[in-house]
Amino acid sequence: MSRLQLDLDQIRTLPPVVDVPTAAAVLGIGRTAAYELIRTDSWPTPVVRLGKLIRVPTAPLLDLVGVRR
């Protein structure tokens, strides 16, 4: 299974919150590693939990990687 890859234009146009695989792609890590970081409270940005759904706010994620909109 291949990793989701995003180019800079795609990253700049992300919605206000993204799912975990998309957030992982922004950081250049795999989906499994991302879920493990979230599970162990080691994910580097805020995480929003809505029942079973996990979403990551885009603004702190872009700040982390130094991307401006």
Side-chain angles (χ1 to χ4, degrees), residues 37-52:
L37 289 169
I38 290 169
R39 186 185 71 76
T40 60
D41 291 325
S42 299
W43 184 258
T45 66
V47 174
V48 178
R49 296 174 191 271
L50 305 165
K52 290 185 178 183

